[in-house]
Amino acid sequence: MSSLHRSALVVTTVLVTAGVVALGGYAYEHADRAAASPPGTSPAGTAQTAVTVVGDSITAGQGLSPDAAWPVLLGQDMHVDVTDLGCSAAGFVAVGNGEQCATDYDGLVAYTAATAPDVVLVQASSNDLGQDEGSVRSAIDDMVTDVHHAVPHARIVGLSAVWAEQDPPAQLAAMDTDLAAAVHGVHGTFVDVGQPFHGHPELMQSDDVHPTADGQRVLERATAAALRKAHVRL
């Protein structure tokens, strides 16, 4: 999340259990490999829903092994193929930190399209805190529209931003509202995953920014429950 952290993109195709494609290290040039299989098909040829997740360092599982990140756990839980495009320090306006991820979310649209997803999950990020709210709103609209144009048959699902154990800043809710409006504008769905780390410092790493492995599992369960409650089937 913080721009002080090194980026951790998830991109080399490594097959793990339940047909999940976990991506680790910076290798977006290999994203076309994910598109080599027809949409909804795992590399092994088993029919699966193809889900691509765009997010920040929490999405990437920073500080942990790639298979501990919540998108990978979600794929295992829901038995779908997941491509994790977590980009540390990035947001709709914020640009990813370091040589491995020097882009904002809109710069990940081409990689998203290359994975031929059936569903795209886009999570708001606290990396955009402190940015001009109008600029963030415009960037959200642009990115969601670009995803819709790049993969017009994919369902776009916006996910609310998560915070640490403290009360989240007010701007976070404003960004969630803007993301909800953008995804509704392309006939997508917005899902509020809540604040599963609130009041639970034991779920955070020492930087008080990124969740532990237990925290990632808690976040995955909260996300899965929120998707089911919103009748989003993966």
Side-chain angles (χ1 to χ4, degrees), residues 19-116:
V20 178
V21 176
L23 302 173
Y26 185 70
Y28 274 117
E29 64 270 22
H30 300 304
D32 56 339
R33 294 180 185 176
S37 300
T41 303
S42 73
T46 304
Q48 299 271 4
T49 300
V51 179
T52 297
V53 186
V54 177
D56 56 21
S57 54
I58 290 180
T59 305
Q62 183 160 311
L64 307 169
S65 62
D67 60 359
W70 73 260
V72 176
L73 301 177
L74 184 74
Q76 296 170 351
D77 181 4
M78 294 193 164
H79 306 289
V80 295
D81 287 338
V82 170
T83 299
D84 183 351
L85 295 183
C87 179
S88 292
F92 292 102
V93 173
V95 174
N97 182 48
E99 297 177 359
Q100 296 183 336
C101 180
T103 186
D104 56 19
Y105 279 8
D106 203 44
L108 301 177
V109 171
Y111 303 115
T112 300
T115 66

Side-chain angles (χ1 to χ4, degrees), residues 1-233:
M1 289 170 57
S2 168
S3 61
L4 297 178
H5 299 299
R6 287 181 59 81
S7 29
L9 290 184
V10 188
V11 247
T12 55
T13 53
V14 179
L15 188 63
V16 294
T17 57
V20 178
V21 176
L23 302 173
Y26 185 70
Y28 274 117
E29 64 270 22
H30 300 304
D32 56 339
R33 294 180 185 176
S37 300
T41 303
S42 73
T46 304
Q48 299 271 4
T49 300
V51 179
T52 297
V53 186
V54 177
D56 56 21
S57 54
I58 290 180
T59 305
Q62 183 160 311
L64 307 169
S65 62
D67 60 359
W70 73 260
V72 176
L73 301 177
L74 184 74
Q76 296 170 351
D77 181 4
M78 294 193 164
H79 306 289
V80 295
D81 287 338
V82 170
T83 299
D84 183 351
L85 295 183
C87 179
S88 292
F92 292 102
V93 173
V95 174
N97 182 48
E99 297 177 359
Q100 296 183 336
C101 180
T103 186
D104 56 19
Y105 279 8
D106 203 44
L108 301 177
V109 171
Y111 303 115
T112 300
T115 66
D118 301 303
V119 180
V120 180
L121 304 182
V122 181
Q123 186 152 41
S125 173
S126 61
N127 290 326
D128 286 325
L129 289 173
Q131 302 281 354
D132 175 73
E133 291 190 15
S135 297
V136 175
R137 185 181 307 113
S138 178
I140 289 172
D141 288 340
D142 289 346
M143 187 270 180
V144 170
T145 299
D146 289 346
V147 171
H148 178 60
H149 288 162
V151 282
H153 302 298
R155 183 175 187 180
I156 300 175
V157 179
L159 301 177
S160 60
V162 295
W163 191 245
E165 73 268 19
Q166 306 92 351
D167 291 336
Q171 191 182 0
L172 216 62
M175 290 190 294
D176 290 344
T177 298
D178 292 338
L179 180 56
V183 296
H184 291 156
V186 296
H187 308 291
T189 305
F190 180 78
V191 175
D192 187 348
V193 303
Q195 294 298 337
F197 307 137
H198 188 264
H200 293 282
E202 74 278 5
L203 296 178
M204 306 304 296
Q205 296 181 41
S206 60
D207 61 9
D208 198 31
V209 172
H210 299 96
T212 63
D214 285 342
Q216 288 281 354
R217 285 189 286 270
V218 168
L219 178 55
E220 184 279 325
R221 289 194 292 269
T223 302
L227 288 169
R228 292 176 177 121
K229 184 177 180 180
H231 306 291
V232 175
R233 299 186 63 182

